[in-house]
Amino acid sequence: MYRGFQIMPHVQYIYTEASESLCGVKLEVNKYQYLITGRVYEGKVYTGLCNWYEKWDRLTLSQRKGLNHRYHLGCGCKIRPCYYLPCFATSKNECIWTDMLSNFGHSGHQAKHYACIQRVEGYCSWYRGWAPPDKTIINATDP
């Protein structure tokens, strides 16, 4: 599945640096399916260690649902990492990402099971659930 046809209608290659020490990633081509995020620069698609890449079968159900149904609801939100306590949102369109407190980062509980989405009046908060998000309620208790 490819998204990004508006920017790059056809992608034949994805570029990365030659080694991990230069932030390059090693992917086992034709062996696994991957989620790969990156950027387009001068007509080429690039990815690296700072981008989100993962074997598709290692994504949680919440992450798959997020990619297909939820993450777009957070396009007006900013995710602000929290490295040490206390952490506070400085605007209504921020979600505080606390996975960094436990050194898990991209593979932490919040990243695996929650989506930052925009709620009523532009407020952003973390959402986890099976039903479609209720945009009239702000649940500030989830992480």
Side-chain angles (χ1 to χ4, degrees):
M1 176 179 10
Y2 172 67
R3 294 184 186 168
F5 288 105
Q6 317 86 294
I7 299 169
M8 286 282 293
H10 178 72
V11 175
Q12 186 172 357
Y13 300 105
I14 298 174
Y15 296 86
T16 190
E17 295 296 333
S19 69
E20 289 182 4
S21 64
L22 298 171
C23 295
V25 297
K26 292 184 180 182
L27 304 172
E28 296 180 69
V29 180
N30 297 323
K31 187 172 182 182
Y32 298 103
Q33 292 181 7
Y34 290 92
L35 164 72
I36 302 172
T37 64
R39 66 190 184 290
V40 175
Y41 180 72
E42 294 184 352
K44 295 179 180 177
V45 177
Y46 292 88
T47 193
L49 289 176
C50 291
N51 298 106
W52 186 20
Y53 68 98
E54 186 68 69
K55 290 178 183 171
W56 186 257
D57 61 359
R58 293 187 62 191
L59 295 173
T60 65
L61 180 58
S62 293
Q63 288 171 321
R64 291 180 195 186
K65 283 185 171 220
L67 288 163
N68 290 314
H69 304 291
R70 295 188 183 130
Y71 293 159
H72 76 280
L73 298 173
C75 289
C77 300
K78 290 173 61 178
I79 295 176
R80 187 169 188 236
C82 175
Y83 298 102
Y84 51 87
L85 293 175
C87 297
F88 302 100
T90 57
S91 68
K92 68 180 185 178
N93 71 329
E94 286 184 344
C95 288
I96 303 299
W97 184 27
T98 58
D99 280 348
M100 300 311 218
L101 292 172
S102 60
N103 297 321
F104 290 126
H106 292 291
S107 61
H109 185 77
Q110 203 172 18
K112 286 183 176 181
H113 302 289
Y114 289 83
C116 176
I117 65 170
Q118 200 159 27
R119 306 282 182 132
V120 71
E121 297 178 11
Y123 284 90
C124 294
S125 65
W126 293 105
Y127 170 76
R128 178 184 183 175
W130 302 107
D134 180 354
K135 291 191 154 212
T136 63
I137 299 172
I138 297 174
N139 185 349
T141 60
D142 279 338

